[in-house]
mmCIF file of all heavy atoms in Angstrom:
data_model
loop_
_atom_site.group_PDB
_atom_site.id
_atom_site.type_symbol
_atom_site.label_atom_id
_atom_site.label_comp_id
_atom_site.label_asym_id
_atom_site.label_seq_id
_atom_site.Cartn_x
_atom_site.Cartn_y
_atom_site.Cartn_z
ATOM 1 N N ASP A 61 2.069 -4.980 0.972
ATOM 2 C CA ASP A 61 2.677 -4.169 -0.097
ATOM 3 C C ASP A 61 3.648 -3.149 0.486
ATOM 4 O O ASP A 61 4.715 -2.889 -0.076
ATOM 5 C CB ASP A 61 1.595 -3.427 -0.886
ATOM 6 C CG ASP A 61 0.735 -4.359 -1.715
ATOM 7 O OD1 ASP A 61 1.130 -5.527 -1.907
ATOM 8 O OD2 ASP A 61 -0.326 -3.917 -2.182
ATOM 9 N N ASN A 89 -1.191 -1.583 12.412
ATOM 10 C CA ASN A 89 -1.541 -2.172 13.714
ATOM 11 C C ASN A 89 -2.979 -1.800 14.072
ATOM 12 O O ASN A 89 -3.219 -0.914 14.898
ATOM 13 C CB ASN A 89 -0.578 -1.690 14.809
ATOM 14 C CG ASN A 89 0.775 -2.358 14.746
ATOM 15 O OD1 ASN A 89 0.911 -3.538 15.075
ATOM 16 N ND2 ASN A 89 1.788 -1.624 14.303
ATOM 17 N N GLY A 143 16.849 13.086 -3.445
ATOM 18 C CA GLY A 143 16.269 13.597 -4.673
ATOM 19 C C GLY A 143 14.864 13.083 -4.901
ATOM 20 O O GLY A 143 14.481 12.774 -6.030
ATOM 21 N N SER A 154 0.870 7.117 14.944
ATOM 22 C CA SER A 154 2.158 6.439 14.823
ATOM 23 C C SER A 154 3.110 6.922 15.910
ATOM 24 O O SER A 154 2.925 7.996 16.494
ATOM 25 C CB SER A 154 2.760 6.680 13.435
ATOM 26 O OG SER A 154 1.934 6.106 12.434
ATOM 27 N N ALA A 163 11.869 11.298 13.265
ATOM 28 C CA ALA A 163 10.900 12.191 12.633
ATOM 29 C C ALA A 163 9.625 11.442 12.291
ATOM 30 O O ALA A 163 9.614 10.214 12.189
ATOM 31 C CB ALA A 163 11.497 12.808 11.366
ATOM 32 N N VAL A 169 17.261 14.242 4.948
ATOM 33 C CA VAL A 169 17.084 14.606 3.545
ATOM 34 C C VAL A 169 18.454 14.828 2.923
ATOM 35 O O VAL A 169 19.277 15.561 3.449
ATOM 36 C CB VAL A 169 16.219 15.873 3.401
ATOM 37 C CG1 VAL A 169 16.160 16.309 1.933
ATOM 38 C CG2 VAL A 169 14.822 15.623 3.930
ATOM 39 N N SER A 220 3.376 15.369 18.687
ATOM 40 C CA SER A 220 4.294 15.863 19.708
ATOM 41 C C SER A 220 5.726 15.497 19.335
ATOM 42 O O SER A 220 5.978 14.420 18.799
ATOM 43 C CB SER A 220 3.950 15.286 21.085
ATOM 44 O OG SER A 220 4.121 13.883 21.090
ATOM 45 N N ALA A 227 14.825 20.591 18.271
ATOM 46 C CA ALA A 227 13.480 20.044 18.069
ATOM 47 C C ALA A 227 12.612 21.092 17.383
ATOM 48 O O ALA A 227 12.605 22.263 17.773
ATOM 49 C CB ALA A 227 12.853 19.635 19.400
ATOM 50 N N MET A 256 9.734 27.011 2.749
ATOM 51 C CA MET A 256 8.482 26.486 3.294
ATOM 52 C C MET A 256 7.359 27.438 2.926
ATOM 53 O O MET A 256 7.432 28.634 3.189
ATOM 54 C CB MET A 256 8.567 26.319 4.816
ATOM 55 C CG MET A 256 9.627 25.327 5.260
ATOM 56 S SD MET A 256 9.819 25.245 7.070
ATOM 57 C CE MET A 256 8.220 24.638 7.545
ATOM 58 N N LEU A 307 11.172 29.880 14.177
ATOM 59 C CA LEU A 307 12.451 29.192 13.993
ATOM 60 C C LEU A 307 13.552 29.877 14.796
ATOM 61 O O LEU A 307 13.450 31.051 15.151
ATOM 62 C CB LEU A 307 12.837 29.151 12.519
ATOM 63 C CG LEU A 307 13.393 30.439 11.880
ATOM 64 C CD1 LEU A 307 14.121 30.110 10.608
ATOM 65 C CD2 LEU A 307 12.279 31.435 11.605
ATOM 66 N N TRP A 373 -6.532 28.853 2.236
ATOM 67 C CA TRP A 373 -6.545 28.103 3.484
ATOM 68 C C TRP A 373 -7.995 27.918 3.917
ATOM 69 O O TRP A 373 -8.855 28.749 3.655
ATOM 70 C CB TRP A 373 -5.758 28.858 4.565
ATOM 71 C CG TRP A 373 -4.275 28.695 4.460
ATOM 72 C CD1 TRP A 373 -3.513 28.861 3.357
ATOM 73 C CD2 TRP A 373 -3.392 28.344 5.512
ATOM 74 N NE1 TRP A 373 -2.197 28.637 3.638
ATOM 75 C CE2 TRP A 373 -2.084 28.307 4.969
ATOM 76 C CE3 TRP A 373 -3.551 28.044 6.857
ATOM 77 C CZ2 TRP A 373 -0.971 28.002 5.723
ATOM 78 C CZ3 TRP A 373 -2.443 27.746 7.617
ATOM 79 C CH2 TRP A 373 -1.156 27.709 7.056
ATOM 80 N N GLU A 391 -14.070 15.200 5.828
ATOM 81 C CA GLU A 391 -14.986 14.116 5.490
ATOM 82 C C GLU A 391 -15.602 14.426 4.133
ATOM 83 O O GLU A 391 -16.320 15.413 3.973
ATOM 84 C CB GLU A 391 -16.073 13.981 6.562
ATOM 85 C CG GLU A 391 -15.578 13.473 7.893
ATOM 86 C CD GLU A 391 -15.067 12.050 7.812
ATOM 87 O OE1 GLU A 391 -15.604 11.272 6.988
ATOM 88 O OE2 GLU A 391 -14.144 11.707 8.569
ATOM 89 N N GLU A 474 -9.458 -41.513 -50.788
ATOM 90 C CA GLU A 474 -10.613 -42.128 -51.454
ATOM 91 C C GLU A 474 -10.272 -43.561 -51.866
ATOM 92 O O GLU A 474 -9.206 -43.828 -52.422
ATOM 93 C CB GLU A 474 -11.009 -41.310 -52.680
ATOM 94 C CG GLU A 474 -11.547 -39.930 -52.322
ATOM 95 C CD GLU A 474 -12.034 -39.187 -53.556
ATOM 96 O OE1 GLU A 474 -12.009 -39.778 -54.658
ATOM 97 O OE2 GLU A 474 -12.424 -38.017 -53.407
ATOM 98 N N ASN A 495 -17.257 -73.221 -29.409
ATOM 99 C CA ASN A 495 -18.231 -74.141 -28.856
ATOM 100 C C ASN A 495 -19.567 -74.003 -29.557
ATOM 101 O O ASN A 495 -20.599 -74.375 -29.039
ATOM 102 C CB ASN A 495 -18.377 -73.910 -27.351
ATOM 103 C CG ASN A 495 -18.880 -72.503 -27.077
ATOM 104 O OD1 ASN A 495 -19.004 -71.707 -27.997
ATOM 105 N ND2 ASN A 495 -19.158 -72.228 -25.826
ATOM 106 N N CYS A 503 -32.573 -75.534 -47.200
ATOM 107 C CA CYS A 503 -33.257 -74.370 -47.746
ATOM 108 C C CYS A 503 -32.456 -73.098 -47.570
ATOM 109 O O CYS A 503 -32.969 -72.008 -47.755
ATOM 110 C CB CYS A 503 -34.639 -74.211 -47.100
ATOM 111 S SG CYS A 503 -34.527 -73.938 -45.319
#
Side-chain angles (χ1 to χ4, degrees):
D61 291 345
N89 284 288
S154 296
V169 175
S220 64
M256 298 175 64
L307 77 161
W373 280 50
E391 291 295 328
E474 293 185 4
N495 62 354
C503 62

